[in-house]
């Protein structure tokens, strides 16, 4: 099949030009996946998801968060967490303008999962216009960063907010496939930086999300690797149990690592993802058959 790929920018908080990409199958689009990447990542890391969804007549949009990928800004720096949240709000509004009336799923991986969960809790009226929220290995639990680095970040946030440290996260914890890990090391758009201000904003937001979990009010899918050493799976399980909204599903993959979309079990992950999306499309859209099978 033909894949139509385009890139562009949109105005984020403070007028910053944020980079985004769009992959489109052509013809009638049945739904859209709006993709938010994790800390140090970028929108170009999700090839397996794109190649799985496009034959099913989904389009995929991905942005590069400020300080990431091909978007400007100090690597791993934000003034406040609301910058991430409001950038994603604007991103979604742009998609809705480009593709009016098209069903949208909001997808976040790792820190991106944390961003979309917090956005959904802050703006339930906007999330109600979407088909659901998908959080993959969301950073809402204990993270694999040393307590010393965390403490240093908190101490320096007021005095030197732009002070930057290597996160110290184990790059081999992303995937059990050594070929995938090799691509991480060679990728010039990836980074391993986090600033003191980011650290305090991250942990403040983490606490807020758990404190408000019972207010969740949208279809929710959480997917997490059981052997994730970057973001331990217990955090997403605790959040999931606190959510009282009935339309929720959490799947934990035994032995799987952090980047489920390119781990050894990625086909199982992709199948679960697209099956859930299919179940949450409007009835009239589900009747539209995909152009071709992806099997």
């Amino acid at each position: 099949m033909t894949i139509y790929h385009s890139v562009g920018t949109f105005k984020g908080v403070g007028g910053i030009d944020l980079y985004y990409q769009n992959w489109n199958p052509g013809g009638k689009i049945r739904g859209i996946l709006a993709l938010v990447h994790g800390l140090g990542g970028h929108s170009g890391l999700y090839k397996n998801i794109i190649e799985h969804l496009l034959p099913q007549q989904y389009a995929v949009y991905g942005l590069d968060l400020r300080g990431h990928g091909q978007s400007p800004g100090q690597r791993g720096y934000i003034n406040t967490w609301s910058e991430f949240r409001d950038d994603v709000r604007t991103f979604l509004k742009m998609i809705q303008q480009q593709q009016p009336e098209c069903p949208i799923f909001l997808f976040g991986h790792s820190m991106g999962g944390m961003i979309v969960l917090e956005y959904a809790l802050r703006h339930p009226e906007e999330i109600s216009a979407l088909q659901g929220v998908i959080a993959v290995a969301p950073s809402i639990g204990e993270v694999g960063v040393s307590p010393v680095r965390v403490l240093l970040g908190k101490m320096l946030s007021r005095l030197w907010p732009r002070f930057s440290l290597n996160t110290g996260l184990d790059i081999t914890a992303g995937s059990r496939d050594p070929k995938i890990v090799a691509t991480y090391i060679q990728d010039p758009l990836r980074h391993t930086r986090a600033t003191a201000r980011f650290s305090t904003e991250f942990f403040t937001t983490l606490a807020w999300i758990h404190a408000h979990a019972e207010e969740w009010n949208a279809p929710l899918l959480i997917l997490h690797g059981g052997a994730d050493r970057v973001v331990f799976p217990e955090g997403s399980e605790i959040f999931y149990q606190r959510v009282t909204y009935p339309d929720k599903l959490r799947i934990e993959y035994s032995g799987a690592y952090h980047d489920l979309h390119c781990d050894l079990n990625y086909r199982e992950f992709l199948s679960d993802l697209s099956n859930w999306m299919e179940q949450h499309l409007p009835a009239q859209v589900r009747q539209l058959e995909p152009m071709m099978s992806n099997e």
Side-chain angles (χ1 to χ4, degrees):
M1 66 175 294
T2 302
I3 296 176
Y4 300 92
H5 176 235
S6 62
V7 303
T9 61
F10 67 97
K11 294 289 184 185
V13 175
I16 187 173
D17 286 319
L18 297 174
Y19 175 88
Y20 78 93
Q21 303 187 68
N22 167 229
W23 295 266
N24 193 310
K28 180 69 175 178
I29 297 173
R30 301 168 71 239
I32 294 169
L33 188 74
L35 197 154
V36 185
H37 64 79
L39 178 63
H42 57 85
S43 58
L45 293 173
Y46 300 90
K47 179 172 176 280
N48 286 341
I49 293 175
I50 294 160
E51 292 182 349
H52 182 75
L53 290 180
L54 260 65
Q56 300 177 49
Q57 293 303 111
Y58 289 100
V60 178
Y61 280 76
L63 88 160
D64 285 3
L65 295 165
R66 58 182 59 225
H68 290 80
Q70 298 187 65
S71 288
Q74 182 182 345
R75 304 293 92 170
Y77 177 78
I78 50 170
N79 292 298
T80 67
W81 194 266
S82 64
E83 291 179 336
F84 281 154
R85 178 175 71 245
D86 290 339
D87 287 344
V88 169
R89 287 183 77 193
T90 306
F91 178 55
L92 285 171
K93 288 176 182 176
M94 179 199 71
I95 296 171
Q96 289 165 335
Q97 289 171 354
Q98 291 185 7
Q99 305 281 358
E101 309 299 319
C102 193
I104 298 174
F105 297 88
L106 181 58
F107 175 110
H109 171 232
S110 193
M111 183 187 75
M114 182 175 173
I115 292 171
V116 303
L117 292 176
E118 194 253 0
Y119 165 66
L121 286 166
R122 295 274 189 189
H123 297 289
E125 73 290 349
E126 295 176 13
I127 289 296
S128 66
L130 306 181
Q131 302 309 121
V133 176
I134 302 159
V136 178
S139 301
I140 53 172
E142 187 178 348
V143 293
V145 177
S146 79
V148 173
R149 291 175 194 266
V150 172
L151 180 61
L152 187 59
K154 290 180 179 179
M155 289 170 57
L156 289 169
S157 181
R158 290 181 180 275
L159 299 173
W160 192 359
R162 291 184 180 270
F163 178 78
S164 180
L165 267 179
N166 191 308
T167 58
L169 291 170
D170 181 2
I171 197 167
T172 66
S175 174
R176 291 169 290 176
D177 185 341
K179 293 178 182 177
I180 295 296
V181 174
T183 67
Y184 293 168
I185 298 169
Q186 298 160 5
D187 186 346
L189 292 179
R190 287 176 63 99
H191 74 81
T192 58
R193 311 302 294 180
T195 57
R197 175 59 53 78
F198 171 86
S199 178
T200 53
E201 288 294 305
F202 177 93
F203 287 105
T204 299
T205 303
L206 173 62
W208 188 91
I209 288 172
H210 280 286
H212 293 265
E214 292 181 0
E215 299 168 22
W216 186 269
N217 193 34
L220 173 66
L221 174 65
I222 296 177
L223 303 170
H224 214 136
D228 189 342
R229 306 195 309 275
V230 178
V231 180
F232 300 129
E234 291 80 8
S236 69
E237 173 65 17
I238 291 169
F239 177 83
Y240 179 78
Q241 294 300 335
R242 288 176 177 163
V243 169
T244 57
Y245 189 79
D247 188 351
K248 65 174 186 173
L249 174 64
R250 182 181 181 275
I251 301 174
E252 185 171 313
Y253 302 93
S254 177
Y257 281 16
H258 186 63
D259 298 337
L260 290 170
H261 57 283
C262 53
D263 199 9
L264 295 179
N265 67 317
Y266 77 93
R267 292 186 185 279
E268 179 187 13
F269 160 78
L270 292 172
S271 177
D272 290 337
L273 171 67
S274 57
N275 286 343
W276 188 87
M277 291 172 64
E278 196 73 21
Q279 293 164 12
H280 287 81
L281 285 172
Q284 68 271 24
V285 176
R286 285 203 301 272
Q287 294 168 3
L288 296 172
E289 285 296 320
M291 289 177 64
M292 58 180 285
S293 171
N294 200 44
E295 297 301 321

